[in-house]
Amino acid sequence: IGKTIEAGLIIKETKTRGMVKNILILAPSTLGSQWKEEMRSTFDIEFITTGDIEFSRDPESFWKQQFIIASINTAKRNSNIQKVTGQFYDLVVVDEAHHLRNRNTLAWALANRIKKKFIFLLTATPLQNNLVELFNLITLLKPGQFKTEKSFRQEYVEKGSLKKPANKERLRELLRDVMIRNT
């Protein structure tokens, strides 16, 4: 199953169960129309996108809509960031989430500041990064899962190498609480 379909199944199920009423999907701008079409044709959910006329006509009310697809670059712009973070979303889906691995970026800060009940991070890019970047992604999913960066480094990172995990089994166990890995 592709990422969009897998996310769509979760979106449809949580919506059907009444667990979510409003959804924000953050995807690369080149994928916005693909996400919109997939959600409409496969799951019968109508989303609006930042590529639609409604966005340029009335950006204030755009961000208050029930089902939104936006590029993370559009959402993090100075003219939009307050509108995005001023709303509450039951579900936020971030496609190409590996771009959020650096906690010092505006994209990470945006994802962290968005008020949400659930967040779903999608990536097809294998994580071959340093373990602190993994800590940053997991912190978006479940803040406090690894306590602080300092305690994470002490317990799960081999001294002298940010790419070598220590305490591998315990790390895997904690990752299973927040991550589904399909290969």
Side-chain angles (χ1 to χ4, degrees):
I1 298 178
K3 293 182 301 173
T4 311
I5 296 296
E6 194 169 15
L9 289 167
I10 291 170
I11 289 167
K12 184 69 172 186
E13 184 65 20
T14 55
K15 183 179 173 299
T16 301
R17 289 182 184 207
M19 296 169 67
V20 300
K21 291 183 176 65
N22 62 345
I23 300 165
L24 172 64
I25 297 173
L26 296 171
S29 57
T30 56
L31 299 178
S33 59
Q34 177 185 326
W35 268 94
K36 180 177 180 169
E37 176 58 24
E38 197 74 62
M39 293 300 107
R40 186 195 59 72
S41 64
T42 307
F43 300 102
D44 197 31
I45 305 171
E46 290 292 335
F47 278 81
I48 62 170
T49 74
T50 48
D52 294 345
I53 192 73
E54 292 86 355
F55 176 67
S56 55
R57 189 179 298 143
D58 187 0
E60 197 71 40
S61 81
F62 173 85
W63 294 107
K64 295 177 182 174
Q65 299 302 306
Q66 194 173 10
F67 304 116
I68 300 171
I69 298 169
S71 80
I72 199 155
N73 288 331
T74 299
K76 71 181 184 181
R77 282 189 201 140
N78 285 339
S79 58
N80 295 317
I81 196 163
Q82 295 300 329
K83 296 174 187 114
V84 177
T85 58
Q87 301 298 314
F88 177 85
Y89 304 94
D90 292 314
L91 174 62
V92 175
V93 177
V94 182
D95 194 4
E96 302 297 332
H98 55 277
H99 293 294
L100 302 179
R101 67 184 180 261
N102 183 344
R103 200 174 49 217
N104 297 316
T105 64
L106 192 52
W108 191 94
L110 169 71
N112 190 52
R113 282 182 52 200
I114 293 174
K115 295 183 282 273
K116 61 219 170 263
K117 187 189 304 183
F118 303 111
I119 186 167
F120 190 44
L121 304 180
L122 307 169
T123 185
T125 302
L127 285 175
Q128 299 171 341
N129 309 308
N130 73 51
L131 292 166
V132 172
E133 292 173 345
L134 177 64
F135 168 84
N136 293 338
L137 289 171
I138 300 305
T139 297
L140 288 172
L141 290 171
K142 190 173 180 185
Q145 178 73 351
F146 291 117
K147 299 180 182 107
T148 65
E149 182 183 332
K150 182 179 177 182
S151 65
F152 174 79
R153 283 175 180 252
Q154 289 171 344
E155 193 164 346
Y156 301 108
V157 179
E158 288 277 336
K159 289 195 187 318
S161 175
L162 289 175
K163 293 187 177 198
K164 288 186 179 177
N167 201 354
K168 289 180 190 174
E169 285 310 309
R170 177 69 180 137
L171 179 61
R172 279 192 188 107
E173 185 181 311
L174 289 170
L175 289 174
R176 278 189 215 110
D177 288 347
V178 295
M179 184 185 298
I180 298 169
R181 185 167 182 224
N182 292 329
T183 56

